[in-house]
Short mmCIF file of all heavy atoms in Angstrom, two decimals:
data_model
loop_
_atom_site.label_atom_id
_atom_site.label_comp_id
_atom_site.label_asym_id
_atom_site.label_seq_id
_atom_site.Cartn_x
_atom_site.Cartn_y
_atom_site.Cartn_z
N ILE M 18 9.54 84.55 -55.37
CA ILE M 18 10.56 83.76 -56.04
C ILE M 18 10.55 84.02 -57.59
O ILE M 18 11.54 84.18 -58.24
CB ILE M 18 10.50 82.31 -55.72
CG1 ILE M 18 10.95 82.06 -54.28
CG2 ILE M 18 11.40 81.39 -56.68
CD1 ILE M 18 10.96 80.64 -53.75
N ILE M 22 13.58 85.78 -60.06
CA ILE M 22 14.28 85.09 -61.18
C ILE M 22 14.31 85.91 -62.47
O ILE M 22 13.28 86.46 -62.87
CB ILE M 22 13.63 83.73 -61.48
CG1 ILE M 22 13.96 82.80 -60.26
CG2 ILE M 22 14.03 83.10 -62.77
CD1 ILE M 22 13.25 81.42 -60.27
N ILE M 28 22.57 80.86 -64.89
CA ILE M 28 21.77 80.06 -63.99
C ILE M 28 22.32 80.18 -62.53
O ILE M 28 21.59 80.18 -61.60
CB ILE M 28 21.75 78.55 -64.42
CG1 ILE M 28 20.82 77.71 -63.54
CG2 ILE M 28 23.09 77.97 -64.63
CD1 ILE M 28 19.35 78.07 -63.63
N ASN M 31 20.75 83.07 -60.63
CA ASN M 31 19.36 82.80 -60.15
C ASN M 31 19.38 81.80 -59.04
O ASN M 31 18.63 81.95 -58.05
CB ASN M 31 18.53 82.27 -61.32
CG ASN M 31 18.16 83.38 -62.25
OD1 ASN M 31 17.76 84.47 -61.85
ND2 ASN M 31 18.34 83.18 -63.59
N LEU M 32 20.13 80.70 -59.15
CA LEU M 32 20.18 79.71 -58.10
C LEU M 32 20.60 80.30 -56.81
O LEU M 32 20.07 80.08 -55.70
CB LEU M 32 21.08 78.56 -58.44
CG LEU M 32 20.60 77.59 -59.57
CD1 LEU M 32 21.66 76.53 -59.87
CD2 LEU M 32 19.27 76.95 -59.24
N VAL M 35 17.82 82.46 -55.23
CA VAL M 35 16.71 81.66 -54.72
C VAL M 35 17.09 80.98 -53.43
O VAL M 35 16.30 80.87 -52.48
CB VAL M 35 16.22 80.68 -55.81
CG1 VAL M 35 15.23 79.66 -55.17
CG2 VAL M 35 15.59 81.37 -56.93
N ILE M 36 18.32 80.53 -53.37
CA ILE M 36 18.84 79.84 -52.18
C ILE M 36 18.87 80.83 -50.97
O ILE M 36 18.41 80.49 -49.84
CB ILE M 36 20.21 79.20 -52.38
CG1 ILE M 36 20.02 77.94 -53.25
CG2 ILE M 36 20.96 78.89 -51.13
CD1 ILE M 36 21.26 77.56 -53.98
N LEU M 39 15.29 81.50 -49.80
CA LEU M 39 14.70 80.40 -48.98
C LEU M 39 15.30 80.38 -47.57
O LEU M 39 14.61 80.28 -46.61
CB LEU M 39 14.95 79.04 -49.69
CG LEU M 39 14.24 78.73 -51.00
CD1 LEU M 39 14.72 77.43 -51.58
CD2 LEU M 39 12.73 78.76 -50.77
N ILE M 51 22.91 74.00 -53.07
CA ILE M 51 22.83 73.15 -54.28
C ILE M 51 24.02 72.24 -54.35
O ILE M 51 25.17 72.64 -54.00
CB ILE M 51 22.90 74.04 -55.55
CG1 ILE M 51 21.67 74.96 -55.65
CG2 ILE M 51 23.08 73.29 -56.82
CD1 ILE M 51 20.36 74.27 -56.10
N LEU M 118 17.05 68.40 -59.22
CA LEU M 118 16.79 69.39 -60.29
C LEU M 118 17.24 68.79 -61.57
O LEU M 118 18.27 68.15 -61.62
CB LEU M 118 17.60 70.71 -59.94
CG LEU M 118 17.40 71.33 -58.60
CD1 LEU M 118 18.24 72.63 -58.50
CD2 LEU M 118 15.94 71.63 -58.33
N PHE M 119 16.42 68.99 -62.61
CA PHE M 119 16.69 68.32 -63.87
C PHE M 119 16.94 69.36 -64.97
O PHE M 119 16.31 70.45 -64.99
CB PHE M 119 15.54 67.44 -64.28
CG PHE M 119 15.32 66.28 -63.37
CD1 PHE M 119 14.40 66.40 -62.30
CD2 PHE M 119 16.04 65.09 -63.51
CE1 PHE M 119 14.18 65.32 -61.44
CE2 PHE M 119 15.82 64.03 -62.65
CZ PHE M 119 14.94 64.14 -61.66
N TYR M 125 20.59 67.22 -62.90
CA TYR M 125 21.52 68.37 -62.91
C TYR M 125 22.12 68.66 -61.53
O TYR M 125 23.30 68.95 -61.48
CB TYR M 125 20.75 69.60 -63.48
CG TYR M 125 21.51 70.87 -63.61
CD1 TYR M 125 22.27 71.15 -64.65
CD2 TYR M 125 21.45 71.83 -62.48
CE1 TYR M 125 22.99 72.39 -64.76
CE2 TYR M 125 22.17 72.99 -62.57
CZ TYR M 125 22.90 73.25 -63.71
OH TYR M 125 23.58 74.47 -63.82
N LEU M 128 18.83 69.96 -54.73
CA LEU M 128 18.54 71.11 -53.80
C LEU M 128 18.48 70.49 -52.38
O LEU M 128 17.73 69.53 -52.16
CB LEU M 128 17.15 71.74 -54.17
CG LEU M 128 16.56 72.76 -53.21
CD1 LEU M 128 17.47 73.98 -53.08
CD2 LEU M 128 15.10 73.17 -53.62
N GLU M 147 8.80 71.37 -53.55
CA GLU M 147 8.82 70.66 -54.87
C GLU M 147 8.49 71.56 -56.05
O GLU M 147 8.99 71.45 -57.11
CB GLU M 147 7.94 69.40 -54.80
CG GLU M 147 8.55 68.31 -53.96
CD GLU M 147 7.73 67.04 -53.86
OE1 GLU M 147 6.49 67.08 -54.12
OE2 GLU M 147 8.28 65.98 -53.47
N GLY M 148 7.57 72.51 -55.75
CA GLY M 148 7.26 73.55 -56.75
C GLY M 148 8.49 74.38 -57.09
O GLY M 148 8.77 74.68 -58.30
N VAL M 149 9.21 74.75 -56.06
CA VAL M 149 10.49 75.58 -56.32
C VAL M 149 11.47 74.72 -57.12
O VAL M 149 12.05 75.22 -58.09
CB VAL M 149 11.13 76.00 -54.95
CG1 VAL M 149 12.53 76.62 -55.15
CG2 VAL M 149 10.22 76.94 -54.17
N ALA M 150 11.58 73.44 -56.77
CA ALA M 150 12.54 72.59 -57.55
C ALA M 150 12.06 72.43 -58.98
O ALA M 150 12.91 72.47 -59.92
CB ALA M 150 12.53 71.21 -56.88
N HIS M 151 10.74 72.38 -59.20
CA HIS M 151 10.23 72.25 -60.53
C HIS M 151 10.54 73.58 -61.37
O HIS M 151 10.98 73.54 -62.48
CB HIS M 151 8.73 72.00 -60.54
CG HIS M 151 8.13 71.95 -61.87
ND1 HIS M 151 8.38 70.91 -62.81
CD2 HIS M 151 7.28 72.80 -62.57
CE1 HIS M 151 7.72 71.19 -63.92
NE2 HIS M 151 7.10 72.34 -63.79
N LEU M 152 10.31 74.72 -60.65
CA LEU M 152 10.59 75.95 -61.30
C LEU M 152 12.08 76.07 -61.67
O LEU M 152 12.40 76.52 -62.81
CB LEU M 152 10.22 77.07 -60.29
CG LEU M 152 10.51 78.52 -60.70
CD1 LEU M 152 9.64 78.99 -61.84
CD2 LEU M 152 10.37 79.47 -59.50
N LEU M 153 12.97 75.70 -60.77
CA LEU M 153 14.39 75.77 -61.04
C LEU M 153 14.77 74.78 -62.15
O LEU M 153 15.57 75.14 -63.05
CB LEU M 153 15.21 75.42 -59.80
CG LEU M 153 15.09 76.45 -58.65
CD1 LEU M 153 15.83 76.03 -57.43
CD2 LEU M 153 15.57 77.85 -59.14
N SER M 154 14.11 73.63 -62.25
CA SER M 154 14.36 72.74 -63.31
C SER M 154 13.94 73.32 -64.66
O SER M 154 14.65 73.14 -65.67
CB SER M 154 13.61 71.39 -63.08
OG SER M 154 14.15 70.74 -61.97
N CYS M 155 12.86 74.04 -64.69
CA CYS M 155 12.37 74.68 -65.90
C CYS M 155 13.38 75.71 -66.35
O CYS M 155 13.71 75.82 -67.50
CB CYS M 155 11.02 75.38 -65.71
SG CYS M 155 9.66 74.21 -65.47
N LEU M 156 13.92 76.43 -65.34
CA LEU M 156 14.90 77.51 -65.65
C LEU M 156 16.15 76.89 -66.20
O LEU M 156 16.70 77.38 -67.24
CB LEU M 156 15.19 78.25 -64.30
CG LEU M 156 16.01 79.51 -64.38
CD1 LEU M 156 15.24 80.59 -65.09
CD2 LEU M 156 16.41 79.92 -62.97
N ILE M 157 16.63 75.84 -65.50
CA ILE M 157 17.87 75.17 -65.95
C ILE M 157 17.68 74.59 -67.38
O ILE M 157 18.54 74.63 -68.23
CB ILE M 157 18.22 74.02 -64.94
CG1 ILE M 157 18.67 74.67 -63.59
CG2 ILE M 157 19.30 73.11 -65.46
CD1 ILE M 157 18.49 73.73 -62.43
N SER M 158 16.46 74.09 -67.67
CA SER M 158 16.17 73.51 -68.95
C SER M 158 15.93 74.55 -70.02
O SER M 158 15.64 74.24 -71.13
CB SER M 158 15.02 72.57 -68.86
OG SER M 158 15.17 71.64 -67.84
N ASN M 159 15.91 75.87 -69.52
CA ASN M 159 15.68 76.98 -70.40
C ASN M 159 14.28 76.95 -71.01
O ASN M 159 14.07 77.43 -72.16
CB ASN M 159 16.77 77.02 -71.45
CG ASN M 159 16.84 78.39 -72.08
OD1 ASN M 159 16.52 79.38 -71.43
ND2 ASN M 159 17.32 78.51 -73.33
N ILE M 164 8.11 79.83 -66.86
CA ILE M 164 8.40 80.79 -65.78
C ILE M 164 7.53 82.01 -66.01
O ILE M 164 7.86 82.88 -66.77
CB ILE M 164 9.86 81.15 -65.68
CG1 ILE M 164 10.67 79.84 -65.40
CG2 ILE M 164 10.15 82.11 -64.58
CD1 ILE M 164 12.12 79.95 -65.86
#
Side-chain angles (χ1 to χ4, degrees):
I18 288 183
I22 288 174
I28 185 68
N31 285 313
L32 289 177
V35 171
I36 285 160
L39 293 174
I51 294 285
L118 305 182
F119 295 96
Y125 178 85
L128 172 65
E147 285 183 341
V149 172
H151 178 70
L152 175 67
L153 294 177
S154 293
C155 291
L156 189 69
I157 292 159
S158 308
N159 202 24
I164 300 157

